[in-house]
Amino acid sequence: MAEVAANNANHPSDTTKNVFDFETFVGDLIVEEDASSDDISLEGLQQELEECKDDDVVANILSKGVKLREYTKGVENNLRKVELDSIQDYIKESDNLVSLHDQIRDCDSILSQMETLLSGFQVEIGSISSDIKILQEKSMDMGLKLKNRKVAESKLAKFVEDIIVPPRMVDIIVDGEVNDEYMRTLDILSKKLKFVEVDPMVKASKALKDVQPELEKLRQKAVSKVFDFIVQKLQALRKPKTNIQILQQNVLLKYKYVISFLKEHSKEVHLEVRAAYIDTMNKVLSAHFRAYIQALEKLQLDIATSNDLIGVETRSTGLFSRGREPLKNRSAVFALGERLNVLKEIDQPALIPHIAEASSLKYPYEVLFRSLHKLLMDTATSEYLFCDEFFGEESIFYEIFAGPFAVIDEHFNSILPNCYDAIGLMLMIRIVRQHQLIMSRRRIPCLDSYLDKVNIALWPRFKMVFDMHLSSLRNANVKLLWEDDIHPHYVMRRYAEFTASLIHLNDGDGQLELNMERLRMAVDDLLMKLAKMFSKPKLQIVFLINNCDMTIAVLKEAGPEGGKIQLHFEEMLKSNTGLFVEELLMEHFSDLIKFVKTRASEDPNGSSERPISVQEVEPIVKDFWSRWKGAIELMHKDVITSFSNFLCGMEILRAALTQLLLYYTRLSDCIKRINGGAALNKDLVSISSIMYEIRKYSRTF
């Protein structure tokens, strides 16, 4: 206690600051307490006070500094008062409490009875629950059995349905006609046959022993009946004038299931039907193509023979040689002309021979070739699609068409070795290419190998005929070919038309371009040899110009791009035009040209040994003044008669007059530099007068 007092003395301010100083308050309690009491222990009081410091009542007591014993007495007095008040209240409510007690006792009795009743219910419900569980198990068991029975019933029903042979089906298979209903019944029979053959459980069933013999009899009857039916339909294909495509599409395809049935259930009979169809169509189509080819051969127009070559002389050379043929047929040997129409009509229907024969029409072989192959393409396309749909296999097509291919090959092999028509051969090559594209667009590959074979046969023959033309130029008899005529030679016209035709038909083949270059070199050599047969250089030049001009014109008619060959002849025309101009001017103004070329460039006042004088120039000036108009008129007439192409002649005349003007201008300039040259002015022709004459002749353009 002394320590507490000492602490209070040392810290007086703490007491004033905090009324909740528990140690101080406890110390006071200890001072007040009876020191002799052994029952009171203050151990743990500090901790309890710390725990209760947040309690409102304890905090209020501590804050007011109330002594604990006094506060305890007060609380006891209050409790005693409350207890007395409660007793009085209880006495007042005693009757009600007695009544409440009776009611509680009655309720307790009733609840006891209810407990007994509910316990009985609980026992009964437990019994019912076990019964329900038993029923549930029985229900699940019955449901499972029902499900199994339904599955078994469905399988059994399907088994019965698949294996049973209805009387109606028997009647249709045995006595019915082959029609749509028969096809449906045949399909049902096929399914039953597959069912008994495939399923191992069915094979072990006793029902199969009863049904299988009947199914086998029906199978044999159905096979026999549909075989006779199909053979009868195939025989209809052999009848004359039968439209095969219509019979195939409208009749046979309706019964294509028959072939599937035979393939599945009677392979031997299926092979017989297949062989019968192949044999029938092979013979029928072979006969059709043979008859068509024979009819086409009557329409053939012969275009060329082995003598119809570029470098072969056209005149009769012996008693038995062929004379000149009509111009139309002979021009077709080298010129494309209307023969190009066959490519424009590439997809037109094939020719009808009897109509063309009735009209007395004849056609080049490439027209017949296109018509034959058009018929082949259409027939092959129809047959290929039919075989694929009817038999379900494409290979049968090639067995059928072995005959028609052989017929066409026989015809082609007889025609090709005797074909000397290079233009016709190139047209056929182009036709084959177009037909390949058509079949490609149709997505029908059945003629690929055949068309390739035809193409491979055509190219060597074309090369051989082309080489014959080339050899005819290289080995040509110049003396026999030469004619004393400066106009275009018929050999050059043949060459120009032949080359223009090949350029037009060439489809980017580099080898053909090389061959045409070889042909151009050969014709150049022959042309130069023919030109040298003329005695005068001027006539040689005119001959070359006429032939070059004609060749260029023909090449331009064939197409806008003549290529290197056209450029070559344009260069040749240009160089020979310059030579002709000089020859023409030398013929009429030789003194003027010689002077200008030799003396006009000299300086008249220079230190030359022989300076130019008025006396030297005066005869030239007077001669030109006296006859220049007449000479120009003669030049005009000469040009008109020399050149076949009027426009080319006028172009050459204008070039000559322009060159003459240049020569005369140089002469005039030279005279101006000569001492005393002014005396010749009165004899000089004015440049404007010459220009007027040039314009006068230029008006013809």
Side-chain angles (χ1 to χ4, degrees), residues 340-357:
L340 183 64
N341 291 336
V342 72
L343 296 179
K344 299 176 182 177
E345 301 167 356
I346 193 69
D347 210 17
Q348 292 297 312
L351 287 175
I352 302 175
H354 68 270
I355 295 178
E357 190 175 0

Side-chain angles (χ1 to χ4, degrees), residues 136 340 369 473 527 531 536 600 662 698:
Q136 185 179 9
L340 183 64
F369 179 84
L473 291 174
L527 184 62
K536 296 180 180 181
L662 292 175
S698 298

Side-chain angles (χ1 to χ4, degrees), residues 361-376:
L361 297 174
K362 298 286 185 179
Y363 300 96
Y365 182 72
E366 67 269 9
V367 176
L368 308 182
F369 179 84
R370 182 209 71 85
S371 186
L372 174 61
H373 282 78
K374 170 63 175 173
L375 179 63
L376 175 64

Side-chain angles (χ1 to χ4, degrees), residues 443-505:
R443 300 182 183 277
I444 304 295
C446 59
L447 292 183
D448 289 354
S449 59
Y450 170 78
L451 293 175
D452 287 339
K453 183 178 71 173
V454 173
N455 195 43
I456 291 171
L458 286 171
W459 271 109
R461 183 64 191 179
F462 170 79
K463 181 64 167 56
M464 192 200 79
V465 176
F466 185 91
D467 288 343
M468 290 175 65
H469 285 287
L470 183 61
S471 299
S472 72
L473 291 174
R474 289 176 174 174
N475 304 324
N477 189 331
V478 178
K479 293 181 180 180
L480 194 62
L481 289 176
W482 184 76
E483 297 175 347
D484 191 10
D485 187 357
I486 58 174
H487 292 92
H489 198 278
Y490 62 85
V491 170
M492 283 303 296
R493 177 166 290 279
R494 290 177 185 174
Y495 164 78
E497 292 174 346
F498 184 73
T499 301
S501 300
L502 294 183
I503 289 174
H504 195 89
L505 293 175

Side-chain angles (χ1 to χ4, degrees), residues 25 29 57-74:
F25 185 75
L29 289 177
V57 176
V58 175
N60 187 32
I61 294 171
L62 295 177
S63 63
K64 293 180 179 180
V66 180
K67 291 182 179 181
L68 185 57
R69 190 169 294 277
E70 292 178 359
Y71 188 81
T72 301
K73 289 179 179 181

